[in-house]
Amino acid sequence: MAVQQAAGSDPYFPDHGDARYRVHRYELALDYRPAPNRLAGSARINAIAGRSPLAEFMLNLSDFKIGRVRVDGRPAHYTHRGGKLRVRPAKPVRPGAAFTVEVHWSGNPKPVHSPWGGLGWEELEDGALVASQPVGAPSWYPCNDRPADKASYQISITTPSAYAVVAGGRLLTRTTKASTTTWVYEQAAPTSSYLVGLSIGKYQTVLLGDPGPGGVPQHGHIPAHLLPEFSRDFARQPQMMELFQELFGPYPFDEYAVVVTEEELDVPVEAQGLSLFGANHVDGARGWERLVAHELAHQWFGNSVSIADWRHIWLNEGFAKYAEWLWSERSGGRTAQQLAAAAHRLLSSLPQDLRLADPGRKSMFDDRLYERGGLAVHALRCAMGDEAFFRMLRGWAGLHRGGAVTTSTFTAHVNRFADESLNGLFDAWVYGVALPPLPTPIPARPTHPPTNTGRVQP
């Protein structure tokens, strides 16, 4: 596992995350009552101190009432304000030592304020969902909220029995006592805090396709009345899974689930092993199928291979955008070249002041980043040729599985697979702002030497 920890705080979100330690496991026990929107929780966080003694450290957690905080079983002094839970252990943690933090909290969860509206825990008309990208995770649990700090999770959630609970990972147990049910999920793969997905609602569960021996189980969780539309709109997801495993390498997690909520969402949201769609993304006509491909592709690019900090978000979105084009090309739709040309025409009519390698917090979700990111990936494919390009992609997803990366990591990786340095291509597409010309595929090299067969002799 290749994990590149960012050296300091995230430049886009300096108030989120603490680089002085890293977490390797969260164990969360939650009790949620939808009607009053009441959440009570306890967390056991197993972590490792960095290179310096840890006299105090910080977790991100929204405005909840704190019950108690302990470090290695001993009460710890803490302060909690401004979304920061600052903890001072009774005795400083030695450099490189493992330690355990226990936090108990309760209150009414609500989204975290951000430039993009509320993020994180969202109360629905009948249930709740979590959509945390990029900094919404502290809306419901204490965490070291930085994408490079990836950990395994066990999540236990107790709700009224009328509700289903869906989380990313494998369902270990479901236990009903009186009027409540406790659901326990395990996500063993390293997971960024913003990618811990959760949905609580009244859903019907269906199996998508037949995974067969060694296949990837894929489930849909949807309101019963949307099942006919869902059955058509997501019918080709198993074929997407097969294609992406062919192109990107093995699916990096145990299972994959999709949830459709009763309510509308502006955009679908990816989480680790899970994607959330709104009722507006189901129309029975495959009108949003490109987004089904986009969210699935994030399981490789963004979730398994994560970014060290938010400056590198194009590595998530550019590859997911390009996966849309690859699915279209392989399923009988427009080719990647045709879709690249359409994206290029669109970008040429818009301001050219966005730099993929560091778009700035204000522009990290700009549509231009998605389109230009897809074009940058297409430019690599055109320059390298399909054989080397897809070898490079499979190597990228395999080498950095479970890790966190940067743009410079990717540049070095690509150059190992290219016949000649592609630094000029990166300078133009990734580090520059002016829109380069539309990339076109290199002519296919002949597989055999040309012959004079059929040539007219003088």
Side-chain angles (χ1 to χ4, degrees), residues 229-270:
E229 293 84 357
F230 176 89
S231 298
R232 175 168 173 77
D233 292 341
F234 286 77
R236 300 205 292 183
Q237 184 180 280
Q239 290 99 300
M240 291 179 192
M241 180 70 79
E242 290 180 11
L243 174 64
F244 291 169
Q245 290 194 97
E246 171 196 331
L247 300 180
F248 309 149
Y251 178 72
F253 308 117
D254 293 333
E255 303 182 8
Y256 182 57
V258 292
V259 173
V260 178
T261 73
E262 280 277 13
E263 299 183 27
E264 295 189 355
L265 300 179
D266 290 340
V267 293
V269 180
E270 77 272 12

Side-chain angles (χ1 to χ4, degrees), residues 46-110:
N46 298 319
I48 300 173
R51 297 177 180 177
S52 301
L54 209 57
E56 66 97 24
F57 58 90
M58 186 269 289
L59 291 160
N60 290 107
L61 180 63
S62 289
D63 186 21
F64 289 98
K65 179 182 177 182
I66 304 297
R68 66 174 181 263
V69 178
R70 293 178 178 175
V71 177
D72 290 333
R74 301 177 65 183
H77 178 75
Y78 66 89
T79 60
H80 183 217
R81 51 182 175 268
K84 295 181 178 182
L85 178 62
R86 297 192 180 276
V87 180
R88 184 177 295 273
K91 181 180 179 182
V93 180
R94 298 189 315 276
F99 64 101
T100 300
V101 187
E102 296 176 47
V103 181
H104 294 249
W105 73 100
S106 61
N108 301 105
K110 60 182 182 295

Side-chain angles (χ1 to χ4, degrees), residues 215-409:
V216 180
Q218 300 175 62
H219 290 92
H221 307 271
I222 63 272
H225 69 94
L226 291 176
L227 183 57
E229 293 84 357
F230 176 89
S231 298
R232 175 168 173 77
D233 292 341
F234 286 77
R236 300 205 292 183
Q237 184 180 280
Q239 290 99 300
M240 291 179 192
M241 180 70 79
E242 290 180 11
L243 174 64
F244 291 169
Q245 290 194 97
E246 171 196 331
L247 300 180
F248 309 149
Y251 178 72
F253 308 117
D254 293 333
E255 303 182 8
Y256 182 57
V258 292
V259 173
V260 178
T261 73
E262 280 277 13
E263 299 183 27
E264 295 189 355
L265 300 179
D266 290 340
V267 293
V269 180
E270 77 272 12
Q272 189 116 320
L274 170 69
S275 295
L276 303 168
F277 294 80
N280 52 310
H281 299 124
V282 176
D283 61 8
R286 294 180 181 157
W288 299 97
E289 191 176 63
R290 69 175 184 85
L291 298 182
V292 178
H294 185 106
E295 302 309 326
L296 176 58
H298 270 311
Q299 303 305 320
W300 285 264
F301 306 111
N303 299 6
S304 176
V305 181
S306 302
I307 50 177
D309 65 63
W310 290 105
R311 290 173 296 182
H312 310 286
I313 188 173
W314 84 273
L315 290 171
N316 296 358
E317 301 303 345
F319 280 112
K321 170 58 69 173
Y322 199 64
E324 297 177 27
W325 300 356
L326 290 171
W327 168 249
S328 174
E329 182 171 82
R330 292 290 287 267
S331 64
R334 287 189 289 173
T335 66
Q337 184 64 33
Q338 290 170 325
L339 290 163
H344 195 273
R345 286 193 299 271
L346 173 65
L347 288 174
S348 66
S349 68
L350 298 173
Q352 295 178 31
D353 57 1
L354 182 140
R355 180 176 286 104
L356 281 184
D358 189 0
R361 188 172 85 162
K362 183 178 179 181
S363 298
M364 60 186 284
F365 297 116
D366 192 306
D367 286 345
R368 294 174 298 164
L369 181 135
Y370 293 64
E371 300 294 341
R372 185 171 178 132
L375 277 167
V377 176
H378 187 64
L380 288 173
R381 180 184 179 187
C382 290
M384 299 175 74
D386 277 12
E387 196 277 331
F389 172 77
F390 286 110
R391 239 184 339 112
M392 178 275 294
L393 270 195
R394 288 188 291 271
W396 178 247
L399 178 64
H400 296 286
R401 180 171 176 161
V405 297
T406 65
T407 298
S408 61
T409 317

